[in-house]
Amino acid sequence: GQQVMQIPQYQHVQEGEDFTTYCNSSTTLSNIQWYKQRPGGHPVFLIQLVKSGEVKKQKRLTFQFGEAKKNSSLHITATQTTDVGTYFCAGHSTGAQKLVFGQGTRLTINP
Amino acid sequence: DAGVTQSPTHLIKTRGQQVTLRCSPKSGHDTVSWYQQALGQGPQFIFQYYEEEERQRGNFPDRFSGHQFPNYSSELNVNALLLGDSALYLCASSLGQVSNQPQHFGDGTRLSIL
């Protein structure tokens, strides 16, 4: 079945450093979604990418969807302590209702 | 504008028991999905309900069943509980028949099996 893998599993940075997490799917995706889960909280939707090669920005966050629609990345510029949490990618295979999540990248920040 | 609400927040059961978890979707949403999130893992799709029907199911045994009511609220039932069923159970709502909609999650029910 469809699998979504994320690397790294953990990332610790100094405040102000950049952060990137990568997401790879075993199947072609119709879309990729990104969520953030704060410690003790629930996943919160950040963004959705649909088009091959699409790039979207939200302030310091940049999201990319690969040309083959099988991989994606999230890059945070100049991290802040408010960025702490676990970032998940999730995708639908074409025609499927099932949303498959990666295992997440846990970001911790040293102030 | 109420978001997704789940009850109870915490639950402790013993092996072999049965449990029912409840979810009310975000106002205006008509689709409910259930996920199981083990500690340190991503949410795993259990199933999705739309128009009171199970629309798709993940790789979970028949011990996991659900229901959606005419007001779009939903229940997740788990029978013959196993230790491995201990997890955070998340309900997410979305709008419409089309897939690929953003999921709005509730705070979850933390289920512990002794």
Side-chain angles (χ1 to χ4, degrees):
Chain A
Q2 179 193 0
Q3 291 186 327
V4 175
M5 292 144 286
Q6 273 184 264
I7 55 170
Q9 190 174 0
Y10 302 97
Q11 184 78 59
H12 180 77
V13 301
Q14 291 289 126
E15 187 175 14
E17 291 182 337
D18 292 355
F19 160 77
T20 304
T21 175
Y22 300 92
C23 177
N24 288 283
S25 172
S26 59
T27 61
T28 302
L29 301 172
S30 60
N31 73 337
I32 192 86
Q33 298 177 358
W34 285 90
Y35 293 80
K36 177 183 178 181
Q37 187 173 23
R38 294 181 184 274
H42 59 266
V44 174
F45 175 77
L46 295 176
I47 207 162
Q48 176 171 270
L49 305 172
V50 178
K51 298 177 183 177
S52 170
E54 188 171 13
V55 178
K56 286 189 176 181
K57 293 189 176 184
Q58 287 181 348
K59 298 182 180 178
R60 294 177 295 104
L61 278 61
T62 302
F63 304 84
Q64 292 187 321
F65 199 11
E67 294 291 339
K69 301 184 76 173
K70 294 183 72 174
N71 56 73
S72 181
S73 65
L74 159 60
H75 180 82
I76 302 178
T77 303
T79 55
Q80 300 175 359
T81 55
T82 53
D83 296 326
V84 164
T86 300
Y87 292 85
F88 293 99
C89 64
H92 289 97
S93 290
T94 303
Q97 303 294 339
K98 175 181 175 179
L99 184 61
V100 178
F101 280 76
Q103 72 269 40
T105 296
R106 182 181 172 190
L107 174 63
T108 55
I109 298 175
N110 205 21
Chain B
D1 182 17
V4 178
T5 58
Q6 291 186 243
S7 64
T9 54
H10 295 83
L11 203 51
I12 300 174
K13 292 285 188 178
T14 57
R15 282 179 298 173
Q17 286 189 311
Q18 177 265 344
V19 68
T20 297
L21 310 182
R22 295 177 175 83
C23 172
S24 292
K26 179 180 167 68
S27 178
H29 284 183
D30 55 8
T31 302
V32 172
S33 301
W34 287 92
Y35 295 83
Q36 179 194 68
Q37 186 176 26
L39 199 61
Q41 300 296 316
Q44 299 295 309
F45 179 85
I46 302 175
F47 40 55
Q48 183 181 81
Y49 279 85
Y50 173 74
E51 291 188 340
E52 303 178 51
E53 296 286 333
E54 184 182 292
R55 189 154 66 167
Q56 188 161 10
R57 189 179 184 90
N59 297 325
F60 281 81
D62 292 345
R63 299 188 296 110
F64 290 78
S65 62
H67 189 77
Q68 186 179 33
F69 299 94
N71 67 352
Y72 308 120
S73 67
S74 178
E75 289 182 349
L76 165 65
N77 301 290
V78 187
N79 295 323
L81 287 166
L82 303 174
L83 293 177
D85 295 332
S86 294
L88 178 67
Y89 287 85
L90 293 162
C91 169
S93 71
S94 55
L95 177 62
Q97 191 174 5
V98 178
S99 65
N100 305 348
Q101 295 298 306
Q103 303 288 292
H104 295 255
F105 285 88
D107 289 335
T109 294
R110 175 73 61 186
L111 177 63
S112 299
I113 312 301
L114 303 180

